[in-house]
Amino acid sequence: MKRLLLAFALWLPTLACAGTLQPLAAADVPALLQPPAHGMRILALWSLDCAYCEPNLEALAALQRADPREIELVTVTTDSIQLRTAIEARLRSMKMDVYPARAYAEASPERINFLLDPNWGGETPRVLVIRADGSRRGISGALTPAQLHKLLP
């Protein structure tokens, strides 16, 4: 019973964040980039005006649903949190509102871009994979089936 209560207590914060758009400030980036305890965390970077972002998000969601114990998916829009209503509406329309979601909350988005991935120029879509062993991989542009396959644990 204690293990069940402990598991529930650890799971509750994840549930609270899923489906709730949270601001992403520079101070929040180090925690987001921490390697997960096991498996991998996928940061799906997107924007409201990105033509390829929706198919990427759908493909990443399908990948996560295929192995939910090993893959944590977090969506991060490079749009300002001030566009909350539009961002939340788009997440709902894509059925991505069940995943933790972040939106930039800094006057200088380039700073957050650099903190997330110094090798990234800010183009979307962008996928940043963080594995439990601390390794990272970034992919920009529309994901191909071969690239998705390489993401698998």
Side-chain angles (χ1 to χ4, degrees):
M1 183 66 165
K2 286 182 182 180
R3 285 186 186 171
L4 182 61
L5 286 173
L6 178 62
F8 181 73
L10 293 173
W11 178 70
L12 197 55
T14 302
L15 181 62
C17 287
T20 304
L21 184 63
Q22 300 293 318
L24 179 64
D28 303 321
V29 173
L32 194 60
L33 296 178
Q34 282 296 313
H38 65 279
M40 71 173 95
R41 177 178 303 119
I42 297 176
L43 302 181
L45 295 132
W46 67 285
S47 68
L48 289 169
D49 63 355
C50 169
Y52 298 108
C53 289
E54 189 168 343
N56 265 26
L57 290 170
E58 290 170 352
L60 292 168
L63 190 71
Q64 189 277 334
R65 285 191 306 270
D67 198 355
R69 290 178 175 242
E70 293 297 316
I71 302 173
E72 174 191 1
L73 177 60
V74 179
T75 67
V76 179
T77 181
T78 59
D79 298 297
S80 171
I81 191 72
Q82 294 175 349
L83 299 173
R84 176 184 293 275
T85 303
I87 295 166
E88 288 176 338
R90 179 70 61 82
L91 288 169
R92 275 192 305 279
S93 74
M94 294 186 295
K95 297 181 177 40
M96 295 298 296
D97 57 337
V98 297
Y99 297 100
R102 308 298 294 265
Y104 282 20
E106 295 272 330
S108 174
E110 295 81 11
R111 181 170 182 227
I112 296 180
N113 291 352
F114 181 79
L115 292 172
L116 285 169
D117 185 349
N119 298 313
W120 178 42
E123 67 283 353
T124 56
R126 175 78 171 171
V127 174
L128 184 59
V129 178
I130 305 162
R131 297 191 185 277
D133 65 7
S135 64
R136 294 184 191 170
R137 179 171 185 215
I139 303 169
S140 289
L143 291 170
T144 65
Q147 287 171 318
L148 279 170
H149 183 71
K150 286 182 182 178
L151 296 179
L152 293 172

